[in-house]
Amino acid sequence: MKNFAIKYLTAFLLISGGLLSCKEFETPVPTVSNFTIWELTTDDNGSVVRGNPVTTVSVGEAVEVEVVGNADIATLWPGDFTYRPWESDSILDSRLYEHYGQLGAQGMRMNPTQDGFVLQYFWPETGTYDIVLVLTSHGIDGPTFEQREFDFTVDVVE
């Protein structure tokens, strides 16, 4: 009787695992729940820490760009001269030398956190910049992916 139960339990587990492995999983659509630019300050120990959120950035001053949302990869195109698209609707064109000769050059990959992504950056010139955030989620059962673009604006002043 004991061997009989073990055989049926084993068969049940194998069939259940087989059915679950055949289930198709949809690729999740990337979303953004919050986009914030933070000032960076120095604490009493001399460490760089996040300060207050800002809507205007000083030229040449490092800030931290934070994206709260779900995706596997976040890429930031900060809109300045190094990542501005070439007279087209495609954000996959870049003037940055490190992208020379690449087909479909990428923006700046953001660092993953528990809730999203962060990247420290500074804008080298004053102006209003159109930021493009590209979020990508990958499928589980194949090479499928979902990619979405989100647009933001930042004012950089003296």
Side-chain angles (χ1 to χ4, degrees):
M1 187 63 137
K2 186 176 179 180
N3 286 340
F4 180 75
I6 291 174
K7 286 181 184 178
Y8 276 102
L9 180 60
T10 303
F12 173 76
L13 291 174
L14 289 173
I15 291 171
S16 298
L19 290 175
L20 286 175
S21 67
C22 293
K23 181 179 177 181
E24 289 194 26
F25 294 95
E26 290 186 27
T27 304
V29 175
T31 60
V32 172
S33 59
N34 196 13
F35 179 87
T36 310
I37 298 176
W38 299 90
E39 70 178 348
L40 294 175
T41 61
T42 305
D43 67 7
D44 295 336
N45 298 327
S47 300
V48 176
V49 295
R50 184 185 287 178
N52 296 318
V54 294
T55 55
T56 302
V57 176
S58 296
V59 67
E61 185 174 315
V63 294
E64 185 170 86
V65 179
E66 178 188 39
V67 175
V68 177
N70 70 329
D72 296 323
I73 298 172
T75 307
L76 184 74
W77 290 78
D80 65 8
F81 65 94
T82 59
Y83 286 92
R84 186 177 301 129
W86 285 97
E87 300 176 14
S88 70
D89 294 331
S90 173
I91 62 167
L92 297 179
D93 295 328
S94 171
R95 298 179 188 189
L96 193 61
Y97 177 76
E98 71 185 56
H99 295 157
Y100 179 77
Q102 291 184 16
L103 180 62
Q106 299 296 310
M108 302 174 70
R109 185 170 179 170
M110 299 182 75
N111 301 310
T113 65
Q114 183 176 348
D115 298 323
F117 301 89
V118 295
L119 177 72
Q120 289 187 9
Y121 190 74
F122 71 91
W123 281 267
E125 298 175 3
T126 60
T128 299
Y129 296 97
D130 297 322
I131 298 171
V132 179
L133 173 68
V134 180
L135 295 181
T136 307
S137 293
H138 293 90
I140 295 174
D141 67 338
T144 61
F145 67 95
E146 288 285 338
Q147 193 171 58
R148 296 292 185 271
E149 296 175 16
F150 301 89
D151 298 317
F152 303 96
T153 303
V154 62
D155 290 319
V156 179
V157 296
E158 278 297 323

